[in-house]
Amino acid sequence: ELIDRLIIDPYVYTKVFYIMTLGCNDQFRNRGLGSKLIEDCINLVEQVGECGVMYLHVITYNKAAIRFYERLGFHRIQEIEDYYTIDEEKYNCYLYAKFFHGNRRSLK
């Protein structure tokens, strides 16, 4: 199960933070807007001791998003087959996570 991959002790870490969608129009990219939004989310999670992880999914071909999240300290946990369906075609995604408050799953 997903939570088992992300949380070492569900009795200690009773909350998770999921980023469903983050996007920016081309004309507004590279202005720090996405970084600011994620930094605000990180600051929020840091104030909630029961939240052990912030996680998200990224389609495997979105190299810019992958670099963005890795630069912000997210770790690739696993590849999930056929997670997205776009125009009736299946695409894999990567599960990315950033751990907080001593929650740390092995990244192997």
Side-chain angles (χ1 to χ4, degrees), residues 1 3 8 19 22 29 43 46-47 49 51 57 60 64 67 74-75 78 84 87 93:
E1 166 150 330
I3 296 304
I8 58 174
I19 298 173
L22 178 65
R29 287 197 177 140
N43 290 335
E46 287 175 339
Q47 296 174 30
C51 187
H57 298 91
T60 56
R67 284 190 306 273
F74 285 80
H75 300 278
Q78 74 181 85
Y84 293 108
D87 295 328
C93 79

Side-chain angles (χ1 to χ4, degrees), residues 35-66:
S35 295
K36 174 67 172 133
L37 286 171
I38 296 297
E39 288 166 8
D40 286 350
C41 291
I42 289 169
N43 290 335
L44 180 69
V45 169
E46 287 175 339
Q47 296 174 30
V48 180
E50 313 86 66
C51 187
V53 67
M54 178 184 297
Y55 72 101
L56 54 95
H57 298 91
V58 178
I59 199 163
T60 56
Y61 66 73
N62 191 341
K63 304 302 182 198
I66 290 166

Side-chain angles (χ1 to χ4, degrees), residues 68-93:
F68 172 76
Y69 290 115
E70 288 179 352
R71 181 175 53 80
L72 291 169
F74 285 80
H75 300 278
R76 186 182 304 175
I77 305 301
Q78 74 181 85
E79 185 169 346
I80 302 170
E81 290 187 18
D82 299 334
Y83 184 81
Y84 293 108
T85 303
I86 302 171
D87 295 328
E88 299 182 26
E89 190 169 339
K90 300 284 187 180
Y91 294 89
N92 293 358
C93 79

Side-chain angles (χ1 to χ4, degrees), residues 9-36:
D9 186 343
Y11 296 103
V12 173
Y13 304 106
T14 58
K15 298 182 186 303
V16 297
F17 190 105
Y18 180 64
I19 298 173
M20 181 169 291
T21 304
L22 178 65
C24 191
N25 287 337
D26 288 341
Q27 67 191 49
F28 296 108
R29 287 197 177 140
N30 298 311
R31 295 183 185 191
L33 298 173
S35 295
K36 174 67 172 133

